[in-house]
């Protein structure tokens, strides 16, 4: 698929996906949402992709929904907001959680509205020290979508999730780190290097094992202990059948670094 608003690159086993509408802070219009969904599908269907890195071009990560598209200035009929959420955002969030590869989000600048919540749905969020997170929805009469009302309270607790959602304040990456919302904060000039190094590292790890960890952690967000213990038993059984498990144990016994093949 030809893509205008998304750059897709395969780099040493890592699919790097860049949101690319820098003039409007990478805000998401319908074509961009379609292209992002197709880029995620391309990464998912490529077995040589063992980690996925998401970032933004220019000074922002993503300013959420394109408000020019949501409410056209020329007075033409706006698309239904419910429909935008259904066809643009929900499929992106589902893919980020269901695609069983580690997702690393390099938040290079402001992440607002759906842009913030696309980042928070990823497995690792590394932010530039000049980035920010804004649950901007309340400022225009909307509610956090793109999984915001699901992930935020689980990441930071109900009190902080409520404050962020109802006040829409700009959250610094340092505060986000302190709250447990993100994984790391790095200087802006180091962001892409550090995020790629993490993605590259993950791409050399036991890919099936990491996929099963993601599946177990997804389920833990709603399971009780008994169900989770049963799931762990089942998934550990699968992990123990992989080539990489045998290689990991063998490498340990032979006192050498493992060579994981991702199977
Ligand atoms: O249909 C639906 O609405 C349902 C889906 C909802 C999901 C959502 O994401 S709702 C939330 C939508 N996003 C926002 O409300 C954020 C809007 N943007 C901002 O508040 C600010 O731009 C930022 C705080 C993110 C950054 O501020 P600043 O001062 O660094 O930049 P700026 O000057 O405001 O923006 C630069 C340009 O990007 C500017 O265009 P211009 O004046 O240079 O031609 C601005 O209009 C444009 N831009 C930024 N965000 C959006 C946008 N254009 C359209 N839509 C945007 N979301």
């Amino acid at each position: 698929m030809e893509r205008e608003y998304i750059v897709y690159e395969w780099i040493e086993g890592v699919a790097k996906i860049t949101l690319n509408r820098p003039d409007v802070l990478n805000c998401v219009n319908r074509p961009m949402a379609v292209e992002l969904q197709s880029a995620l599908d391309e990464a998912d269907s490529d077995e040589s992709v063992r980690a996925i890195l998401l970032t933004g071009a220019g000074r922002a990560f993503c300013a959420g929904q394109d408000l020019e598209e949501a409410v056209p200035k020329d007075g033409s009929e706006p698309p239904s907001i419910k429909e935008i959420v259904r066809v643009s955002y929900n499929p992106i969030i589902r893919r980020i959680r269901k695609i069983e590869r580690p997702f690393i989000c390099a938040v290079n600048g402001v992440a607002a509205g759906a842009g913030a919540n696309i980042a928070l749905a990823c497995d690792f969020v590394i932010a530039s020290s000049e980035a920010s997170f804004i649950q901007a929805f309340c400022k225009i009469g909307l509610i956090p979508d793109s999984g915001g009302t699901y992930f935020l309270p689980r990441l930071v607790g109900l009190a902080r999730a409520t404050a962020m959602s109802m006040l829409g304040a700009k959250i610094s990456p340092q505060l986000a780190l302190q709250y447990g919302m993100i994984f790391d904060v790095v200087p802006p000039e180091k962001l892409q290097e550090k995020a790629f190094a993490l993605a590259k590292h993950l791409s050399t790890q036991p890919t099936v094992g990491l996929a099963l960890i993601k599946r177990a952690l997804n389920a833990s967000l709603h399971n009780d202990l008994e169900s989770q213990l049963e799931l762990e038993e089942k998934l550990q059984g699968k992990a123990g059948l992989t080539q990489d498990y045998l290689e990991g144990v063998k490498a340990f016994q032979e006192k050498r670094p493992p060579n994981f093949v991702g199977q």
Side-chain angles (χ1 to χ4, degrees), residues 93-106:
I93 302 303
R94 287 195 186 101
R95 280 168 171 80
I96 293 174
R97 294 313 314 162
K98 282 189 181 161
I99 294 174
E100 291 191 327
R101 310 295 208 296
F103 274 75
I104 300 90
C105 187

Side-chain angles (χ1 to χ4, degrees), residues 208 212 215 232-242 245:
V208 176
L212 297 172
R215 202 183 301 176
E232 286 176 2
E233 186 182 312
K234 188 174 123 198
L235 298 183
Q236 197 69 298
K238 281 183 192 284
L241 294 175
T242 59
Y245 167 64

Side-chain angles (χ1 to χ4, degrees), residues 185-207:
V185 181
V186 298
E189 67 278 9
K190 293 271 173 209
L191 177 69
Q192 296 303 336
E193 178 193 326
K194 293 259 181 193
F196 184 77
L198 175 61
K200 180 72 197 134
H201 165 76
L202 289 161
S203 78
T204 63
Q205 294 306 295
T207 303

